[in-house]
Amino acid sequence: MDGGPSRPGVTFGRQRERASVDELLTRVDGPRVMLVEGETGIGRSRLLEEAARTAADEGFSVVVADASPELRRPADLELLLSVLDEPGPLSPAPSAGGRDRPAERLRAALERRARSTSLLVVLDDLEWADPAMLLALRTLPMRLASSSVWWILARRPGSGGAEPDRLFSRLQERGAVLLQLSPLSDEAVLELVTTTLGACPDADLRVLADKAGGNPLLLLELMNGLLDEGGVVISRGHAHLITSRLPERARLVVQGRLDDLDPAARRLFEVAAMLGPAFHPLVAADLLGITPSELLPSLEAILATELLVAHEEALVFRHEMVRETVITDIPGPVRQALHVQIGRTLLEHGGRVKAAAAHLMAGAVSGVPEVLQSLDRASAQMLDTDPAVAAELTQRALDLTEPADPLWFARTMTAMRTLVTVGDLMGAAKFAEAALDRCASGSPTAELLTALSFVLVPMGQAARASDTAKAVLDMPDLTDEVRDRAELALLQAGAGLQESGSVLDRASEIIEAGDAPGRGLVTGALIVLALNDWDKGDLLGALDLTRTGARQVSNDGVHECRLHPGLILAAFLVDVRLMDEARRTMVLGTGGAEGIGGAEGIGRDGWAAGSAIVRSRIDLAEGRPEEAIRGARAALEAADAVGARLLGACARSMLSIAALRSGDLETAAEHGLGGEDAGGPASPPFDLTRSELIRAQVTEACDGPRAALPGVSRLLDGLAEHYRVLICDPTAAAWLVRTAVAAGEPGQAEKAVAAADRLADMNPGLPSLAAAAEHARGLLHGDPDLLQHAAAEHADHWSSASAYEDLGMLLSGPDGARGRTVQWFDEALSCYAAAGAERDAARIRGRLRGMGERRRHWERRDRPVTGWDSLTGTEQRISGLVSQGLTNQRIADQLFVSVHTVAFHLRQVFRKLAIRSRVELARQVLEHSDDPPDAHTRKSSGDTEADTPAHRRPRPD
């Protein structure tokens, strides 16, 4: 064809390439040669057509040798000469000068044509060119550099042997421009699909289009095929995919790409498709039973089709649609068999257990024992790394196992253990109950009931767990292993009940027997006794027992869903403010290091949320209430997700007290006053945060001391039997005294002081108890020396701040020394700030303001002049409270400021947001509810404490 480009079409996403062609056509100096490379269907021919059309429009004479490339007969010298009106047979003999006569005739013909017009020569499919054409093209473009001849030479890379590679390399060395056509961009793919369908594609269609890998031909065949076969529904300008089956014309295009593969290469390609989007040749060779060297010829043939690309570590399918088409064409039973073979091969190679599991799951069928055994093996290997997948594998194997199969019960127990490991307590309990209906009596029933008992305790069903374990122990002919596990289950269940005398007796017997029972049983007995000692006030003894249990837990051989000794120990240590050991216990218990609980980890099974709860308590004790809130929320979500109601109650209590410290009364009340509706109060001694005390504290903060008095009375009445309310917080005794006195019940306050003194006397090695007793006694008797000493001895900032505040209040009476009162309030303010206790710090600033002293509590920062981001932390907090319907008076009470201050801040808010009503403000708060800082749970960076340290003189505002 001379100067007559084909019918114009639409080109998508080739702006860069078209610009390169335009630059070539305007070049006057240097080599005027462009080399184009691109896979089949990538748009190479369309780009050449457009280049020819553009050149013709610019006045070029275009020479295009079209010789049906689908027959693999691209342009040769004879055809090119005929296009140039140079007919006649070509002699293969060289001329007298030693040059190839056809090449010389072609050069002369091009030169003659270029004298009268600019000439563009467009040659495609050079991978199939004959040697004479390739030889001529190595020299002609350079020899004709002074003539008005432009060249565009195109090919499909990876095909045609080494000669096309040498040609392109030689021309590129001499200045030719190489243009490699890449897959279409996401924007171009969307434009092409939208234009082809005449409608905007939905999400499913876009996902399907992505599988074409940006290849325009595959995309067009895919979309047109869907239209032909009714695979899409177009309505109101939107196209909706209604089938997952690839259309026939798309499949035919893919098949056409594979037609030239010999049987061996075709078989390799099918196996590779089954392996996944990427695969290693070694695995493919193993599956085919050949060596990697024997794989090379077939692999080279496949790479020549450009359907695979070689990366550093694997071979990758260029188009997911091609891979899926190949898989679909494999008969179903053969696919299943290949999946199983691949899964077993991957297991043997190791390191790809998850991929092996996916293949085994896809190929597993009943009646093939080898498949089920492979599922068992994969599940065992994945139990530690990915328990969720292990549980799925085990469940699949069990579904395919007949109840009469000897392996049915073993797989049932494995499924139960994997469900527990993944933390699905409700699923594990339901599974065990269903399995019991199909299980014969005897040892299998005993094992299932024992496993069920362990699961029920974190679910908050300690009584049922105890009854279940007792039912197992009443069974005859139990093996020693089953009996020991049932005993351990009973110990764990009994420790969560109020009446546990028989359990304590049995635990003592186990300890006295030494190593006769299983070591796991001894560990369980130690923890039961430690929990009881802790509750009764023997804290030193409880710590010794728990440390012993935590040291031996890593090798006791027990893998049940049990309360971990390391978790109990860390919680005990936080209670008495031995923070260094508490942090060390948590690190060693969860990090896999040697030491306490290293092998097992304390964040496992149904007790996983317990680890987050204890870390939250550590954060709160060390003055990080915001981190404590985040940890408690995470623990609550985790506990609720797996049905661990016991830990859910603990998490709610932790969240409540952390929110109370940070000043978020709404969150504190929501989780602290929910009672059984919020998950039910946890039974002692598992309640690591003592929800009853926190409920009373939140009640007092919201409604005053008299409202909290019933709860205080219940707590104090319980001191005759246990000390847990005084242990969980160093300031608990002082708070009980303060609240009882404020409510007009000094007798109740005396109970708290007496109990705190007894507890301190029982544990002389724990300074936090002595400081707590002094604080309570100094508060009750108005002794400033005791309060000052307690403030200095308390082991955490918040406790010290509380004592300093009590001391300041004591000295602020009519006869008090003003200077010393201000000094102790400043100390309290500094400690509250260090503890992140915003609500308490605000209260102290209010007291100081009442004395004529002002303390700045903000930091300047750059912020916009208007809009939500222009609001200060205080303004955002007040806005949040307004959105909840609170009046200015209630907001002032909660923030310990005056009503006038609230009104001033609201005027600033209205001005910055350009609003005029509280309704508009509520709408703004709702729109920005996810923006930091959260008005209810986060401490604003614009409202942070900047008070002077206690040892410096405070600066007036």
Side-chain angles (χ1 to χ4, degrees), residues 208-259:
L208 182 60
D210 288 342
K211 294 181 179 181
N215 185 289
L217 175 62
L218 291 178
L219 275 168
L220 286 169
E221 295 302 317
L222 179 60
M223 296 301 141
N224 286 322
L226 289 173
L227 288 172
D228 293 344
E229 299 178 14
V232 292
V233 171
I234 298 177
S235 174
R236 297 182 180 180
H238 292 273
H240 305 279
L241 183 68
I242 60 173
T243 179
S244 59
R245 188 176 63 86
L246 291 175
E248 186 65 21
R249 60 190 293 173
R251 292 180 63 254
L252 290 176
V253 170
V254 174
Q255 293 297 335
R257 300 280 294 273
L258 304 178
D259 284 344

Side-chain angles (χ1 to χ4, degrees), residues 79-95:
L79 177 62
L80 197 53
L81 281 168
S82 67
V83 170
L84 291 167
D85 296 328
E86 296 285 338
L90 300 177
S91 171
S95 64

